[in-house]
Amino acid sequence: ALIKFKKTNNPDDFIILKQLRAKSKYLIKISKKISWKKFTDSINDKVDNQLIWNKIKSLKGLSRNNKIYLVDKNTNKLMSNFEVISNKFGKYFYNNSSDSKFDRDFISFKQHSEKTEVAYRNSTKMLGVIFDRRLSWSPYIKQLKTSTCNSVKNLKILSHTTWGEKTNTLIKIHKTLIQSKLNYGSLLYRTASKSLLNWLDTVNNCGLRLALGAFRSSPVLSIYNLAGEIIHEIKRLESYLIYAARSAKLNNTIHEKNNPLFLEEMRNCNLDISQIIIIEKNVQPPWANAYAINTVLSYNYKDFQEVYTNSSKTNEGVGFSIIFPNIKILHKLPNIRSIFTAEIIAILIATEVIIQEAHSKFIILSDSLSSIKSLQNQFYPCDIVSKIQNNLNKASFLGKEIIIMWIPGHSGISGNEIA
């Protein structure tokens, strides 16, 4: 019809051309609709997701050539020439990244973005903390000093000698308005120069002095002593060490165990990061555990090898002992550890030793009922308990049978008395 209209240029032929064009558009629309209906009806849980996305991209005009052929068609061998291979990759990326593969809106946005000059900034703010280009923390500390100085002015009004608040109330206000701001982000800006950190220490000292009603000539250490507060420098170190310990404990975050500054501070604090117990998730669901934990005495385990655990805490320190028939294990813990921690660590070490032993049946006897009860917690165990449960499952997988049972302490049981 189009060729005929071009030859005759007749109005009747033009009408026929318009009618045929409309009919062809209608037929194309109907065929697309039928094709799309067939495609959607064929989708089930067995259809590959890649086929679906390829269909959608082709309908949007975003079809891509996803195959790179590195086999020579003439010799039917893998290409070894690096120049030919690089040309193949270049052609592939060119065909799939050219402007013809994207719609007009994206192309216009891309062209506009390429012409827009990227703004240069000396600092940026993220989660309330200002990061400058050199990480000197000077802009953030200046902003923090200005903010806390305004809070100090409010505290000065509230600490009036005639109608002011009591000391305990003023200390709480100081912690809320000033110390909360100083502590936020302190493990980041602690690397700033001492002169900048002294600005913040001065603000903190001033707030405590106003809360206590002390003189300006009062020594700084005496102000902290009367307020029952820790020096801010130690607080910054404490928050940083807690962060590093938690990072090492999770074992899935970037921590600074290889940072020389961090290692030096750990040595100065007599801390060993390698002694931190890493969190482990239970490898088996609670209903699949193959070990037994009893809080009731039983005499049905005569063919089991007995393992006794016990711990003690005195003014000299904390320690635990593990008694095997042929092995005695003694270990000392830091003085800050509780008796529960010592008892549960003793059971942990006992399970680790049992896994290496040749005997297949063991019964761990402990007089710590709290430890036994914690081992029965299958859904929200603490870190050490989770490691013990994993060790018990591992031993069961290796063909060993481990029973953990509670016994009364100091009741004449020989193994318990020895431990």
Side-chain angles (χ1 to χ4, degrees):
L2 179 61
I3 296 173
K4 187 178 180 181
F5 172 68
K6 286 182 177 180
K7 290 181 178 180
T8 61
N9 203 14
N10 191 340
D12 295 334
D13 294 334
F14 178 71
I15 293 172
I16 295 172
L17 175 63
K18 295 283 285 184
Q19 291 174 348
L20 292 174
R21 277 182 176 175
K23 186 177 180 180
S24 62
K25 288 181 180 179
Y26 173 76
L27 292 174
I28 292 172
K29 184 178 180 182
I30 293 297
S31 62
K32 283 184 177 180
K33 187 175 181 180
I34 295 172
S35 175
W36 178 252
K37 190 175 185 306
K38 287 182 180 179
F39 174 70
T40 53
D41 291 341
S42 64
I43 295 175
N44 51 38
D45 55 349
K46 297 181 180 179
V47 177
D48 188 8
N49 293 334
Q50 190 64 35
L51 296 175
I52 299 174
W53 282 112
N54 289 340
K55 183 71 174 179
I56 293 172
K57 289 177 180 178
S58 64
L59 291 173
K60 293 185 68 176
L62 300 176
S63 59
R64 292 175 179 238
N65 180 16
N66 294 319
K67 295 182 180 179
I68 304 177
Y69 296 99
L70 297 179
V71 177
D72 194 346
K73 294 181 180 180
N74 298 326
T75 60
N76 204 22
K77 292 183 179 179
L78 192 65
M79 297 179 181
S80 58
N81 191 330
F82 291 109
E83 185 178 354
V84 176
I85 294 174
S86 61
N87 290 335
K88 282 278 185 180
F89 276 101
K91 186 177 180 181
Y92 168 80
F93 289 118
Y94 172 77
N95 292 333
N96 289 283
S97 303
S98 61
D99 293 347
S100 60
K101 298 295 180 180
F102 301 95
D103 54 16
R104 293 181 179 178
D105 294 335
F106 178 80
I107 296 301
S108 61
F109 172 77
K110 176 188 173 187
Q111 293 174 351
H112 176 73
S113 301
E114 290 173 348
K115 294 178 182 178
T116 304
E117 185 178 353
V118 179
Y120 176 80
R121 295 182 180 179
N122 288 323
S123 62
T124 183
K125 193 172 186 180
M126 186 181 300
L127 297 176
V129 180
I130 299 175
F131 294 83
D132 60 293
R133 186 164 56 91
R134 296 182 179 179
L135 287 181
S136 64
W137 306 107
S138 177
Y140 177 63
I141 291 178
K142 288 179 181 178
Q143 182 262 340
L144 190 59
K145 181 186 176 184
T146 304
S147 175
T148 50
C149 282
N150 294 332
S151 300
V152 169
K153 292 178 182 178
N154 297 332
L155 189 64
K156 187 175 183 180
I157 297 172
L158 295 174
S159 63
H160 198 276
T161 55
T162 306
W163 44 266
E165 284 288 346
K166 295 181 181 179
T167 301
N168 292 337
T169 305
L170 292 173
I171 290 176
K172 290 180 180 178
I173 295 173
H174 169 76
K175 291 180 179 179
T176 305
L177 297 181
I178 300 173
Q179 281 194 356
S180 61
K181 295 180 180 179
L182 296 178
N183 293 336
Y184 181 74
S186 60
L187 55 86
L188 292 175
Y189 70 76
R190 61 181 294 278
T191 56
S193 62
K194 287 188 176 181
S195 59
L196 291 174
L197 294 176
N198 286 337
W199 291 0
L200 303 181
D201 292 342
T202 302
V203 175
N204 191 40
N205 300 341
C206 183
L208 285 176
R209 179 176 57 80
L210 291 173
L212 294 171
F215 296 106
R216 290 193 176 185
S217 57
S218 300
V220 174
L221 295 179
S222 65
I223 291 174
Y224 280 95
N225 186 23
L226 292 173
E229 289 293 314
I230 305 174
I231 299 175
H232 203 59
E233 181 181 358
I234 299 177
K235 266 193 175 182
R236 288 193 291 264
L237 177 61
E238 179 190 22
S239 63
Y240 176 64
L241 293 177
I242 291 173
Y243 155 75
R246 287 176 178 172
S247 300
K249 187 178 180 181
L250 291 173
N251 202 32
N252 58 358
T253 56
I254 300 174
H255 55 85
E256 303 187 13
K257 64 180 181 180
N258 298 321
N259 188 338
L261 180 62
F262 168 68
L263 294 175
E264 182 181 356
E265 289 175 345
M266 293 288 285
R267 284 193 295 269
N268 295 336
C269 299
N270 295 324
L271 298 175
D272 186 5
I273 198 171
S274 63
Q275 299 297 321
I276 297 174
I277 296 177
I278 299 173
I279 294 177
E280 289 184 6
K281 294 183 179 180
N282 286 338
V283 295
Q284 283 190 345
W287 55 86
N289 292 330
Y291 52 84
I293 299 173
N294 299 328
T295 56
V296 180
L297 291 174
S298 176
Y299 297 95
N300 298 327
Y301 307 108
K302 293 183 180 180
D303 56 339
F304 282 68
Q305 193 174 97
E306 296 177 353
V307 180
Y308 292 90
T309 64
N310 201 358
S311 63
S312 63
K313 182 173 183 176
T314 62
N315 294 331
E316 297 179 357
V318 183
F320 65 83
S321 61
I322 306 171
I323 306 300
F324 284 82
N326 54 349
I327 305 174
K328 291 182 181 180
I329 300 174
L330 303 175
H331 194 81
K332 185 178 180 182
L333 297 175
N335 297 343
I336 60 174
R337 297 295 177 221
S338 64
I339 193 72
F340 170 78
T341 303
E343 292 278 4
I344 205 72
I345 290 179
I347 297 175
L348 173 63
I349 301 298
T351 57
E352 292 176 352
V353 174
I354 286 173
I355 291 174
Q356 306 298 327
E357 289 288 316
H359 197 71
S360 60
K361 292 185 177 182
F362 291 88
I363 179 169
I364 300 175
L365 303 165
S366 173
D367 60 359
S368 174
L369 187 59
S370 58
S371 300
I372 304 296
K373 289 284 188 181
S374 65
L375 289 172
Q376 291 178 332
N377 184 1
Q378 303 290 334
F379 296 97
Y380 302 102
C382 65
D383 304 336
I384 304 176
V385 170
S386 182
K387 289 181 72 70
I388 294 173
Q389 292 172 350
N390 286 338
N391 285 345
L392 294 174
N393 287 317
K394 182 180 178 181
S396 176
F397 178 76
L398 295 173
K400 298 180 182 292
E401 188 176 355
I402 301 177
I403 307 296
I404 299 178
M405 190 171 71
W406 172 81
I407 57 173
H410 309 289
S411 300
I413 301 174
S414 59
N416 180 256
E417 293 296 332
I418 295 172

